[in-house]
Amino acid sequence: MNLMLFGAPGAGKGTQAKFLIEKYDIPQISTGDILRAAIADKTEMGMEAKKFMDEGQLVPDSTIIGIIKDRLAQEDCKKGFILDGFPRTLPQAEALNALMNDMGISLDKVISLNVPDELIVERITGRRTSKVTGKIYHMKFNPPTDEKEEDLIQRADDTEETVTKRLAAYHEQTAPLIDFYTNMGVIVELDGTKDVSEVTTDMFAAIEK
């Protein structure tokens, strides 16, 4: 089962990925994680990426694709995988497609979690982390009962200004990929505003259709 999770930041991709991993016993491939692993393992592509990062530059698509190629070739991906957070642009999607064609694999489903911007802003800006326990709360959906208010902090990238910028970048660069994957006939659009368990049920039903 070769899957891709798609959606704006805060749409619930990380939550749903856990259920997919449990059910299908396939790895989640997040570009941030595999980039860090490739650098830690000192792979050829990892070292190339590190060179760009050390110079304060963005890692080019060709290097990221090289790292994804190495990861997809590993034994635990033989049964399938869950791509999360990549591709983010049309050129990346086209490069990924070319890579998969070369490797003789294809995407079974692209699961798009649709959540309106105002709800995403509410979800992300309401998050707080306890300095004492490290637990993560939401001031509306999961408020703390036994934490002191002064111990709760908001991460810098959870502020409204940052979230709004990330959403603008998503709509400009990433949202056009919905058409790309629709044309390929692999996209499944789900209502990400539903309760977590309902989204999971809808997702499994769509995958196994």
Side-chain angles (χ1 to χ4, degrees):
M1 189 65 70
N2 300 334
L3 304 170
M4 180 188 292
L5 278 170
F6 194 81
K13 298 188 297 294
T15 302
Q16 296 303 331
K18 292 187 185 82
F19 299 121
L20 290 169
I21 293 163
E22 265 172 43
K23 186 170 174 75
Y24 297 113
D25 191 27
I26 53 177
Q28 178 183 7
I29 298 176
S30 146
T31 37
D33 292 345
I34 62 171
L35 192 56
R36 284 186 286 274
I39 291 168
D41 294 343
K42 295 187 165 57
T43 68
E44 184 185 341
M45 284 295 166
M47 288 298 90
E48 192 177 303
K50 188 174 185 299
K51 192 174 69 186
F52 287 102
M53 289 161 78
D54 287 348
E55 290 169 6
Q57 296 177 21
L58 283 175
V59 179
D61 288 354
S62 56
T63 308
I64 298 281
I65 285 286
I67 288 171
I68 288 174
K69 181 181 180 181
D70 291 347
R71 182 67 187 88
L72 293 182
Q74 289 176 19
E75 194 59 36
D76 65 343
C77 287
K78 292 280 189 285
K79 283 194 298 184
F81 51 82
I82 306 153
L83 274 172
D84 175 15
F86 188 91
R88 291 188 182 190
T89 63
L90 205 48
Q92 286 178 351
E94 288 164 346
L96 178 66
N97 238 16
L99 167 68
M100 286 183 153
N101 287 338
D102 287 348
M103 295 179 78
I105 55 177
S106 60
L107 283 168
D108 294 304
K109 289 278 192 297
V110 175
I111 299 145
S112 176
L113 301 175
N114 298 338
V115 182
D117 284 6
E118 57 271 23
L119 181 54
I120 282 177
V121 171
E122 185 179 30
R123 279 182 181 180
I124 296 179
T125 57
R127 285 183 198 157
R128 296 292 184 277
T129 307
S130 168
K131 289 189 292 189
V132 181
T133 62
K135 285 182 184 170
I136 298 170
Y137 299 95
H138 192 283
M139 300 314 281
K140 179 178 176 181
F141 306 122
N142 175 32
T145 50
D146 51 0
E147 302 267 8
K148 291 182 188 160
E149 203 169 313
E150 60 267 27
D151 291 336
L152 299 172
I153 52 170
Q154 183 182 46
R155 288 183 356 186
D157 53 356
D158 286 350
T159 63
E160 187 164 348
E161 186 187 1
T162 308
V163 175
T164 306
K165 279 183 187 165
R166 285 168 69 198
L167 283 170
Y170 170 79
H171 288 300
E172 187 184 329
Q173 299 174 354
T174 312
L177 297 188
I178 289 175
D179 287 345
F180 180 81
Y181 287 114
T182 300
N183 292 337
M184 280 175 60
V186 292
I187 200 143
V188 175
E189 296 201 59
L190 301 180
D191 179 356
T193 66
K194 290 183 180 180
D195 185 73
V196 169
S197 60
E198 287 183 87
V199 176
T200 308
T201 302
D202 291 349
M203 178 174 70
F204 287 144
I207 288 170
E208 290 174 12
K209 220 181 200 167

